[in-house]
Amino acid sequence: MSQRIIEVKDLEYSYNGFKAVDGVSFFVREGEIFSFLGPNGAGKSTVINILTTLLPVQKGSVSIAGHDLAKEPQAVRRSIGIVFQDETLDRDLTVKETLELHGRIYSMPGGERRERIEEIIALVELEDKRNVRTRFLSGGMKRRLEIGRGLMTRPQVLFLDEPTIGLDTQTRRRLWEYIQRVNDSGTTIFLTTHYMDEADQVSNWIDILDHGKIIASGEPSALKNALGSDMIYLDTSDNAASQSLLEALKSVRSIKSTPQGLAVTINADGTRCLPLIMNRLQEKGISISSVNLKKPTLDDVFVHYTGRDIRDAGAGKLHRLPLPKGVR
Amino acid sequence: MRERESCTACPCPKECAKMSWEFLTIYWRDMLRFVRFRIALVVSLIQPALWMALYGAAMSSNLSRLSSGLDLPAGAASVSYLTFMGAGVIALTTLFTSLFGGITLLFDKNWGLMRELLASPMPRNHIILGIGLSGVTKSFIQVMVIMGFGLLIGVRFFPGYTPIQTAGAILGVLLFVGVFSLGFLFLSSAISMSMDTPEGLQAVITILTLPLFFASNALYPIDAFPPLVKLLSQFNPLTHLVNGVRYFTVGQDFYAIGIHYVYSGSDIMISFLALTGFAAAMFLVAWRVFQKAVVT
């Protein structure tokens, strides 16, 4: 299988006695999109700052692209690209100059640098903004430029800290296309984001961090499935017959009859059960007038594990299902 | 990538460090901004001209009236106050420009490129060196303009010098200005990196500037200072810079405001060494601040 390009073991970090990161271990496989989720103040930024060498390793070990972070920070710096959460541009340099500066401080030889600048400008579609100062770029263009800059040295890992924050939906979608394309070409992506739907769509693996500890980890679908049951809402020509028919199915946990029809709780992956259920009913000559599948979203997963709901600030800790951490 | 390979292939990491020129990138970027901000550029040139034209003219007429009755020994070279203070204005302008030279780092830290620079493989002392070099360049431009403007309004620099002597004297001035400027740019970089707000930086620099300014021989002689202030002024880098600039622009033996100035070669050497020592010490301070700097 693919190699572990990032390996973090028992990482701890304290600010003046406050433990922001409390024994975190995880790894990222080469070529995947790895998402690091967590509420504000969970320690996400601290971890990403340590991994990108902006904060020292206080305790624990980090290895990136085969280099020990504490011993060879320079080698790590050469292997990674970073898109910082806050805008990190010189507003008075042009797009081209911004890339030029980056290439130079990463000691790229002149010929290669000039070649890469043109490639990157084309990749992030800023051809007509080449000689425009960054202060005159829109938010999305600045982000694209920063992502392009992060890719300039062809890093093995690209760190994206909240890359789409504050951008409109359309721009966000465009950015994800770039990020996906970058990932397709082999760059491992380490991502933090607040947008659960985005993390859900793009990530191969998700770790959820809270109070400085990893509290859940797994593939997005596994995390959602582990959270609980999918619900299927059905309305048929004969609800009573449907109910007795479906109760015999192994993957059906329970069925409730409601004025709108049947609410079926599923033990297994709803997307796989739904065709089965529909086939079974149709075989018996029962026609289906409406069907709806509701899966838990990553939002639900997030709320479940962190006990925090954005819409309900007063929510206390929810009970936690005894879920095993993802195994891989 | 190629660079990375050549660097890992390098048998001794120190060899690689010796070959790195990234500070020139920092220099390039800072100069680009300097040229781009025409207002900053123009103001930096107008300010010293105003000093010369207004303060210089006003004080000059007063002092020449006061010292008109003084008898000078026969054959002594007498220097006008305007010429005397011309050297001081060169020194003061260099001081102000250099002390504020690091402010760009504070802006970078809060709103700009600092994270990008700190997370890059470039050694951090290149940031200090790059800012130092660009600051020195700015000071050189200012000093040349002040000397040119001074000559226009009646400053008598380089009295009776041949063109070659003049060129040598200008080089001497630039040497002193360069070393002095580096010292204060390193200090300014260290302060900027440690401060969180421009307001704080402004306050610290103001506090620093006043004593440096007043306990120096830039605009008046230090002979009449109270002993303590006089002693302090001997440790003031500004005094040493003014000594150097006067030595090169006015000469080694002259009278100004009725006071006899004699600069021997060893005096000037001591001043130069003092400035070099100051710059080296400030580099170490800045280096330490940058090694420890955390910007997230």
Side-chain angles (χ1 to χ4, degrees):
Chain A
M1 267 310 281
S2 19
Q3 287 185 312
R4 299 177 176 192
I5 195 152
I6 300 180
E7 178 124 42
V8 175
K9 279 191 186 139
D10 308 318
L11 190 67
E12 285 184 23
Y13 196 91
S14 309
Y15 298 98
N16 310 320
F18 168 73
K19 238 180 205 174
V21 178
D22 189 4
V24 163
S25 300
F26 62 89
F27 63 87
V28 178
R29 282 202 184 119
E30 194 166 1
E32 75 180 353
I33 299 186
F34 176 95
S35 285
F36 214 47
L37 308 181
N40 289 328
K44 261 182 317 181
S45 296
T46 307
V47 172
I48 207 166
N49 283 331
I50 294 172
L51 297 193
T52 53
T53 75
L54 285 173
L55 288 176
V57 178
Q58 282 181 349
K59 215 170 173 189
S61 73
V62 178
S63 143
I64 298 179
H67 303 288
D68 186 307
L69 187 63
K71 289 188 195 118
E72 306 170 86
Q74 292 302 88
V76 169
R77 286 175 180 151
R78 288 187 184 281
S79 324
I80 63 174
I82 313 166
V83 178
F84 300 98
Q85 181 169 345
D86 304 309
E87 181 187 316
T88 304
L89 292 170
D90 184 331
R91 295 158 64 84
D92 295 298
L93 292 186
T94 66
V95 167
K96 199 174 159 202
E97 286 160 356
T98 301
L99 296 174
E100 171 91 33
L101 182 113
H102 187 79
R104 284 177 183 228
I105 60 177
Y106 280 75
S107 351
M108 288 175 87
E112 187 190 340
R113 191 173 66 225
R114 281 184 285 277
E115 233 169 72
R116 288 294 289 159
I117 288 174
E118 290 313 310
E119 272 178 57
I120 293 289
I121 287 179
L123 173 75
V124 297
E125 295 174 42
L126 289 173
E127 287 99 334
D128 23 325
K129 302 288 176 185
R130 184 178 281 121
N131 295 316
V132 173
R133 294 191 212 174
T134 62
R135 68 164 71 233
F136 300 117
L137 299 181
S138 70
M141 289 177 188
K142 284 183 194 167
R143 261 318 192 197
R144 263 147 58 196
L145 174 60
E146 289 186 308
I147 292 175
R149 179 177 67 185
L151 290 171
M152 213 177 135
T153 53
R154 295 187 203 271
Q156 289 167 273
V157 187
L158 181 64
F159 286 88
L160 296 167
D161 196 0
E162 301 281 359
T164 54
I165 206 160
L167 300 177
D168 60 80
T169 319
Q170 233 173 347
T171 313
R172 275 162 54 187
R173 199 173 307 149
R174 285 276 295 287
L175 275 182
W176 285 117
E177 283 169 24
Y178 289 122
I179 293 169
Q180 202 83 58
R181 217 187 296 165
V182 166
N183 179 244
D184 290 344
S185 67
T187 309
T188 310
I189 310 268
F190 185 105
L191 174 75
T192 73
T193 179
H194 270 97
Y195 299 107
M196 293 296 140
D197 50 330
E198 294 178 349
D200 192 0
Q201 280 168 32
V202 302
S203 314
N204 302 108
W205 195 269
I206 288 176
D207 272 15
I208 298 180
L209 190 75
D210 196 20
H211 299 295
K213 288 187 157 104
I214 290 177
I215 52 171
S217 92
E219 289 173 5
S221 57
L223 281 175
K224 287 181 296 185
N225 288 337
L227 186 60
S229 341
D230 294 356
M231 298 290 292
I232 293 172
Y233 299 91
L234 281 170
D235 198 13
T236 64
S237 54
D238 185 347
N239 282 342
S242 306
Q243 183 163 3
S244 54
L245 196 64
L246 296 179
E247 268 168 350
L249 288 177
K250 213 167 65 179
S251 48
V252 170
R253 188 185 288 166
S254 63
I255 302 184
K256 259 188 208 148
S257 189
T258 70
Q260 288 80 35
L262 300 172
V264 185
T265 311
I266 306 290
N267 292 329
D269 184 356
T271 50
R272 291 179 188 284
C273 285
L274 188 55
L276 184 81
I277 288 173
M278 290 174 72
N279 283 339
R280 194 58 61 87
L281 294 176
Q282 275 158 351
E283 278 165 20
K284 300 287 174 189
I286 300 170
S287 69
I288 302 164
S289 51
S290 82
V291 62
N292 189 11
L293 168 68
K294 192 174 180 298
K295 296 179 74 67
T297 62
L298 207 54
D299 275 311
D300 298 327
V301 175
F302 191 77
V303 171
H304 171 77
Y305 285 109
T306 63
R308 262 165 265 177
D309 187 346
I310 297 148
R311 285 153 302 193
D312 180 13
K317 289 255 159 186
L318 298 178
H319 73 285
R320 286 181 183 173
L321 295 173
L323 289 168
K325 283 191 180 173
V327 180
R328 48 173 173 172
Chain B
M1 279 304 158
R2 236 181 300 151
E3 178 65 18
R4 189 167 101 210
E5 278 151 21
S6 70
C7 222
T8 38
C10 178
C12 157
K14 277 185 186 151
E15 286 294 312
C16 278
K18 222 191 284 173
M19 304 282 286
S20 66
W21 294 90
E22 282 78 15
F23 65 90
L24 290 179
T25 305
I26 305 296
Y27 174 75
W28 165 74
R29 179 227 173 188
D30 208 47
M31 290 312 292
L32 206 61
R33 289 171 58 101
F34 181 62
V35 178
R36 212 156 264 181
F37 287 125
R38 302 245 160 67
I39 293 180
L41 190 138
V42 169
V43 166
S44 75
L45 298 179
I46 288 179
Q47 192 199 7
L50 286 177
W51 266 97
M52 300 271 271
L54 299 178
Y55 182 86
M59 288 302 281
S60 188
S61 56
N62 271 320
L63 284 168
S64 50
R65 192 162 43 86
L66 288 172
S67 55
S68 58
L70 295 170
D71 291 326
L72 297 180
S78 175
V79 163
S80 72
Y81 181 72
L82 201 62
T83 305
F84 176 82
M85 78 161 271
V89 170
I90 288 177
L92 284 176
T93 308
T94 307
L95 173 71
F96 292 140
T97 304
S98 307
L99 263 178
F100 281 101
I103 201 166
T104 167
L105 296 173
L106 177 68
F107 287 108
D108 270 346
K109 200 172 78 163
N110 289 352
W111 300 285
L113 269 185
M114 190 53 77
R115 272 178 304 247
E116 149 100 339
L117 299 180
L118 293 184
S120 81
M122 174 182 65
R124 291 184 172 185
N125 53 21
H126 283 230
I127 303 175
I128 312 171
L129 285 177
I131 292 292
L133 261 168
S134 68
V136 167
T137 308
K138 292 174 201 169
S139 290
F140 281 178
I141 297 171
Q142 280 186 320
V143 166
M144 297 304 285
V145 170
I146 298 169
M147 287 199 285
F149 180 76
L151 292 174
L152 279 181
I153 64 164
V155 169
R156 302 279 311 277
F157 276 165
F158 317 121
Y161 286 20
T162 64
I164 293 173
Q165 281 173 322
T166 307
I170 290 176
L171 283 180
V173 170
L174 293 185
L175 188 67
F176 266 76
V177 165
V179 176
F180 173 88
S181 178
L182 276 179
F184 278 98
L185 283 159
F186 294 152
L187 176 62
S188 168
S189 300
I191 298 171
S192 298
M193 220 33 200
S194 331
M195 303 298 286
D196 291 323
T197 62
E199 289 82 2
L201 180 75
Q202 198 110 29
V204 170
I205 287 180
T206 308
I207 288 288
L208 270 175
T209 314
L210 290 178
L212 284 169
F213 181 7
F214 289 116
S216 83
N217 57 354
L219 300 179
Y220 36 71
I222 49 178
D223 295 46
F225 280 10
L228 180 67
V229 184
K230 196 172 172 180
L231 182 74
L232 280 178
S233 71
Q234 303 294 328
F235 290 97
N236 185 347
L238 194 61
T239 300
H240 292 292
L241 173 63
V242 173
N243 286 346
V245 174
R246 283 209 179 113
Y247 172 82
F248 285 111
T249 55
V250 185
Q252 44 189 301
D253 189 339
F254 60 89
Y255 283 83
I257 331 171
I259 289 166
H260 190 194
Y261 281 84
V262 180
Y263 290 124
S264 71
S266 60
D267 287 341
I268 294 311
M269 202 42 141
I270 287 169
S271 284
F272 185 71
L273 289 177
L275 290 179
T276 311
F278 172 71
M282 289 305 114
F283 180 79
L284 290 179
V285 170
W287 188 69
R288 199 173 153 71
V289 167
F290 269 75
Q291 289 315 103
K292 293 177 134 193
V294 170
V295 177
T296 58

